[in-house]
Amino acid sequence: MRILHWFRKDLRLDDNTALSAAAHDAEHDVVPFYASDPDWFARADLAPTRVRFVLGALTELSASIAARGSRLALAHGDPAEVLPRAARAVNADAVYWNDEYEPALRTRDDRVEKALRAAGVHVKRFHDR
């Protein structure tokens, strides 16, 4: 079983519930994935320092993944379109992620889950705060 792990605010390898479950369930056949969402970048309240922080965290995450012999896959676009396409591209049987709890993010995640299920990809969401 191959699992695509969708990183979002949880840009870490340690203490990551969904990533740990993916590694276990897929017997380490996990594709680490991050999608930058255009809606996030379009927010009026988004400070440049926040963008720099996220880019720095992604750089560190990518280096940590590379040190373990893999690569962080990246995409940009609407997650409800990008995730099914990425899952198909790597022949993932499932996509795992840690839930986010803000109302707009819950709505986004529900859209992503619906799109993945319509594409025949299993979804598993985790509580990790």
Side-chain angles (χ1 to χ4, degrees):
M1 170 186 243
R2 174 171 281 175
I3 297 174
L4 184 80
H5 172 73
W6 182 23
F7 285 97
R8 290 105 64 71
K9 290 181 183 176
D10 55 353
L11 301 175
R12 65 190 190 281
L13 298 181
D14 296 326
D15 191 33
N16 186 319
T17 304
L19 180 59
S20 178
H24 176 268
D25 294 352
E27 297 178 356
H28 298 282
D29 190 7
V30 177
V31 177
F33 180 77
Y34 180 84
S36 60
D37 185 345
D39 288 344
W40 184 75
F41 286 100
R43 290 177 44 176
D45 65 343
L46 184 63
T49 54
R50 176 87 188 266
V51 174
R52 279 192 300 275
F53 174 80
V54 170
L55 292 175
L58 280 168
T59 299
E60 290 178 21
L61 177 64
S62 182
S64 294
I65 290 169
R68 288 167 173 79
S70 189
R71 284 186 36 207
L72 177 63
L74 301 168
H76 179 74
D78 178 354
E81 296 172 8
V82 169
L83 268 290
R85 189 169 46 243
R88 278 192 305 274
V90 299
N91 296 316
D93 302 292
V95 176
Y96 284 22
W97 71 78
N98 292 314
D99 273 328
E100 293 180 354
Y101 301 98
E102 297 86 351
L105 300 178
R106 291 180 65 100
T107 299
R108 176 205 59 199
D109 289 356
D110 291 344
R111 281 188 325 107
V112 171
E113 181 174 358
K114 183 178 179 182
L116 285 164
R117 290 192 188 281
V121 179
H122 179 70
V123 171
K124 198 161 184 186
R125 296 166 66 168
F126 296 83
H127 172 74
D128 183 330
R129 278 288 172 174

